[in-house]
Amino acid sequence: MKELIGTGVALVTPFNEDKSVDFEGLKRLVNYQIENGVDYLVLLGTTGEPATLTTKEIEQIKATVVSANNGRLPIVLGIGGNNTLAVVEELKTTDLSDYCAILSVSPYYNKPTQEGIYQHFKAVSEASPKPIILYNVPSRTGVNVAPSTVIRIANDFKNIVAIKEAAGDIIQVQRLIQQKPDDFLVISGDDMIALPMVLAGGAGVISVIGQGFPKDFSEMMQQGLQGNVIKATKIHYKIMKCIDYIFEEGNPAGIKALLKTKNICLENVRLPLVNASYELQEKINTFVVNY
């Protein structure tokens, strides 16, 4: 899965003032990524707010991104949830011909055991005609996928080809990289430690901040993958303060505030999320102006 090495971006779903989907803003966002060197797009991950989209909107968003991309970059599609049977059914009934892989989050809210997580991904593996990226984000799901479980899954299910690791624990990352099969990819799901993960042997990142600074963030990842620590670290420190900003009031309110500053789309999110505060928007504006 060479397509998944480097910088993927977890696309937001732009909304108009009336909270309808801003499809023109979505097209601008896609083109901005492609024109500035990202390696692949991730559609309808958590950052895309799929929990508050209708089925019709999801289909329209998929069609818009596929059309705007026009085959230029690989696209990863988010299909996951805490109802294993529903995830399996979606995998079996969705046309996946436009996508190179599936991003599937570990079940949330139910708080399954490690064995439950294993059995969930066994079912997902058996249902999916496309390679799968397991997504571990315990701050949202309530349960960490232990390295031993990830390695067991990686060894047993060959179409589970990678993990998006967002536990924020560099020691856990090192254990994964040390013990994983050679062809299994460890991808950062945490912008702040994306570079340290790559320097430890990771394959890249699925980034939020990357869609705001796609050229520099992609360059940082490439320099890191090539072992150019000084060049990569210089970019990391240049962007680092804004990584704090965009997560200060939650995701994707922060990144949408940044994208507003760059005139790509408006800052609107859907309830129960709320837009970034005036104070945070001003901090982000100041950062971008002085960048």
Side-chain angles (χ1 to χ4, degrees):
M1 292 297 296
K2 292 180 180 179
E3 300 100 322
L4 302 177
I5 295 174
T7 302
V9 289
L11 297 173
V12 304
T13 298
F15 296 127
N16 296 304
E17 289 293 0
D18 64 359
K19 304 302 176 74
S20 62
V21 177
D22 175 11
F23 293 104
E24 291 305 311
L26 184 57
K27 293 175 189 176
R28 284 194 297 274
L29 180 64
V30 169
N31 284 313
Y32 185 58
Q33 308 313 306
I34 297 169
E35 291 163 4
N36 285 280
V38 305
D39 297 296
Y40 61 99
L41 307 173
V42 179
L43 179 59
L44 297 171
T46 306
T47 303
E49 298 175 73
T52 54
L53 297 170
T54 67
T55 301
K56 181 179 179 181
E57 287 170 336
I58 286 171
E59 292 307 312
Q60 291 173 319
I61 288 165
K62 286 157 63 175
T64 299
V65 170
V66 169
S67 175
N69 181 55
N70 195 26
R72 290 178 287 176
L73 291 182
I75 306 176
V76 173
L77 178 65
I79 297 180
N82 63 340
N83 179 344
T84 305
L85 292 178
V87 176
V88 165
E89 181 65 18
E90 186 174 355
L91 285 166
K92 288 180 176 179
T93 58
T94 301
D95 180 2
L96 300 175
S97 56
D98 293 310
Y99 309 103
C100 73
I102 299 301
L103 177 67
S104 197
V105 69
S106 178
Y108 44 83
Y109 189 77
N110 309 52
K111 298 188 79 171
T113 63
Q114 295 300 306
E115 182 62 26
I117 292 169
Y118 175 88
Q119 293 296 335
H120 171 85
F121 280 105
K122 177 182 179 182
V124 169
S125 169
E126 291 170 349
S128 179
K130 292 285 183 172
I132 299 158
I133 306 167
L134 187 162
Y135 182 16
N136 181 37
V137 56
S139 63
R140 289 185 179 271
T141 64
V143 178
N144 182 45
V145 185
S148 58
T149 302
V150 176
I151 300 307
R152 184 182 173 202
I153 289 169
N155 283 320
D156 290 356
F157 311 117
K158 296 306 178 185
N159 64 337
I160 300 183
V161 299
I163 181 170
K164 178 185 176 185
E165 175 54 53
D169 183 343
I170 197 68
I171 304 299
Q172 179 160 298
V173 167
Q174 290 174 324
R175 290 199 172 102
L176 284 171
I177 292 170
Q178 179 191 40
Q179 299 171 26
K180 72 179 183 66
D182 289 342
D183 56 353
F184 186 81
L185 305 178
V186 178
I187 299 168
S188 177
D190 186 324
D191 286 333
M192 192 62 85
I193 62 171
L195 179 58
M197 280 182 64
V198 163
L199 296 175
V205 64
I206 294 176
S207 176
V208 177
I209 191 81
Q211 67 196 295
F213 299 101
K215 186 174 181 179
D216 280 358
F217 208 84
S218 297
E219 176 67 13
M220 180 185 79
M221 285 289 99
Q222 287 303 317
Q223 293 294 340
L225 287 164
Q226 294 166 22
N228 298 326
V229 178
I230 294 174
K231 290 181 180 179
T233 303
K234 184 177 181 181
I235 301 171
H236 172 76
Y237 286 133
K238 184 179 179 184
I239 297 175
M240 194 167 73
K241 183 181 287 187
C242 201
I243 296 174
D244 280 333
Y245 288 162
I246 68 161
F247 293 107
E248 187 174 303
E249 294 179 4
N251 183 44
I255 186 60
K256 283 188 167 181
L258 174 58
L259 294 170
K260 178 189 178 184
T261 301
K262 293 202 161 202
N263 297 312
I264 294 169
C265 64
L266 296 177
E267 76 276 30
N268 300 314
V269 294
R270 280 183 177 172
L271 289 170
L273 302 182
V274 294
N275 293 1
S277 66
Y278 173 81
E279 291 78 12
L280 179 58
Q281 183 74 68
E282 285 300 295
K283 286 196 288 189
I284 290 171
N285 291 349
T286 300
F287 182 90
V288 172
V289 167
N290 295 324
Y291 185 73

